[in-house]
Amino acid sequence: MTRIGLISDTHGFLDDAVFKHFENCDEIWHAGDFGNIALANKLAAFKPLKGVYGNIDGQDIRSVYPENLRWNCEGVQVYMTHIGGYPPKYNAVVKKELTANPPQLFICGHSHILKVMFDDKLQCLHMNPGAAGNQGWHKVRTLIRFVIDGSNMKDCEVIELGGRTAG
């Protein structure tokens, strides 16, 4: 069993509450737009971190984190990228990849819109944790916590961090 804390679009702002919400997680997955390498390093020092760079991330992030990441977590094939869209409105590059080699779990960020939905056509769960930072048009900062147990994805929890702050 692997407990995952999923976060995206921090844009250089890391709420201290993230550490409380992710304290029982085994790993943190960041779906891009970290904002700076110091934020990524702070998360990586707390828990094992997997991440992809986003469109606002500079060379400091891009030299450490890839644009796309595929891996196996327990019995689940995972594909993560920052700009991906959602079922059935994936961006063209992602749609080609998902169709050619469908994962069981597809994760992206970018939209600042929290979404958890199943793609019946691809038999794939899509997750976007929304935005945890202060930059953007979202009104509430969000995270997702969930469990992968063998080939089962379960116990999905949406966590609201509150409204955007001046911090």
Side-chain angles (χ1 to χ4, degrees):
M1 181 171 73
T2 305
R3 294 167 300 217
I4 294 124
L6 181 59
I7 187 170
S8 185
D9 294 280
T10 44
H11 291 258
F13 174 78
L14 188 59
D15 191 316
D16 287 337
V18 169
F19 299 101
K20 177 183 70 120
H21 291 298
F22 288 172
E23 69 186 348
N24 293 320
C25 292
D26 300 304
E27 298 179 0
I28 298 173
W29 299 353
H30 196 297
D33 279 359
F34 286 92
N36 59 61
I37 197 67
L39 185 146
N41 290 343
K42 194 170 181 182
L43 287 172
F46 179 61
K47 298 284 179 173
L49 176 65
K50 286 182 173 55
V52 293
Y53 71 75
N55 56 297
I56 67 112
D57 289 320
Q59 192 55 38
D60 58 342
I61 297 291
R62 292 172 189 239
S63 66
V64 177
Y65 298 96
E67 180 178 13
N68 305 295
L69 190 59
R70 266 196 183 264
W71 73 98
N72 190 292
C73 180
E74 302 219 9
V76 174
Q77 186 64 225
V78 183
Y79 173 49
M80 183 165 58
T81 193
H82 182 61
I83 302 175
Y86 57 90
K89 299 177 180 179
Y90 300 109
N91 83 31
V93 173
V94 166
K95 185 172 187 168
K96 186 175 179 182
E97 174 69 19
L98 291 175
T99 303
N101 187 12
Q104 285 81 45
L105 176 59
F106 171 61
I107 296 169
C108 66
H110 185 64
S111 69
H112 294 218
I113 299 170
L114 185 138
K115 263 187 206 290
V116 178
M117 60 189 296
F118 192 74
D119 185 330
D120 288 316
K121 185 176 179 186
L122 295 175
Q123 292 296 295
C124 173
L125 181 62
H126 163 76
M127 288 186 171
N128 182 326
N134 283 321
Q135 299 295 318
W137 59 271
H138 60 284
K139 297 197 184 320
V140 177
R141 296 173 296 115
T142 55
L143 312 166
I144 295 176
R145 216 172 26 204
F146 67 104
V147 171
I148 295 180
D149 189 0
S151 61
N152 296 317
M153 294 167 276
K154 62 184 189 177
D155 301 334
C156 183
E157 301 172 90
V158 170
I159 299 161
E160 293 185 355
L161 297 171
R164 289 182 293 153
T165 64

